[in-house]
Amino acid sequence: MTEPTAGRDAGPPRAGWPLFEVFVRGKRGLNHVHVGSLHAPDAPMALRNARDLYTRRNEGVSIWVVPAASVTASSPDEKDAFFAPSGDKIYRHPTFYAIPDDVPHL
């Protein structure tokens, strides 16, 4: 049995490699969009792998990789209770004034 050559991919991701969530901002986009996940030994390698995997056609201008363990999310099952406090804050909705047509991205 031979050992894999150093620097060569020995197959599937190694056990214990963390999962990273990948966000890409497109050339015409104003925000980053979640495009998928990947395993990598560290953040710099995750960034390089995300570039190769998710921007093969030069469609991105910026990539974020975030350890999946660092993501905290609300539960869809609790959406009514979680988002209810914002419903009574009518001042957050732009219904009391006119937005000029030349104001971008609103």
Side-chain angles (χ1 to χ4, degrees), residues 44-91:
M45 181 61 77
L47 191 59
R48 286 192 295 274
N49 288 348
R51 177 201 59 206
D52 294 344
L53 185 61
Y54 294 109
T55 63
R56 289 180 279 183
R57 295 177 188 93
N58 289 329
E59 63 270 19
V61 296
S62 176
I63 301 173
W64 292 348
V65 292
V66 180
S70 296
V71 175
T72 303
S74 64
S75 169
D77 298 334
E78 299 171 355
K79 68 178 180 184
D80 293 332
F82 187 77
F83 291 105
S86 66
D88 61 349
K89 296 180 173 86
I90 59 171
Y91 57 85

Side-chain angles (χ1 to χ4, degrees), residues 30-54:
L30 296 174
N31 55 345
H32 287 74
V33 176
H34 182 256
V35 293
S37 306
L38 56 82
H39 288 272
D42 55 27
M45 181 61 77
L47 191 59
R48 286 192 295 274
N49 288 348
R51 177 201 59 206
D52 294 344
L53 185 61
Y54 294 109

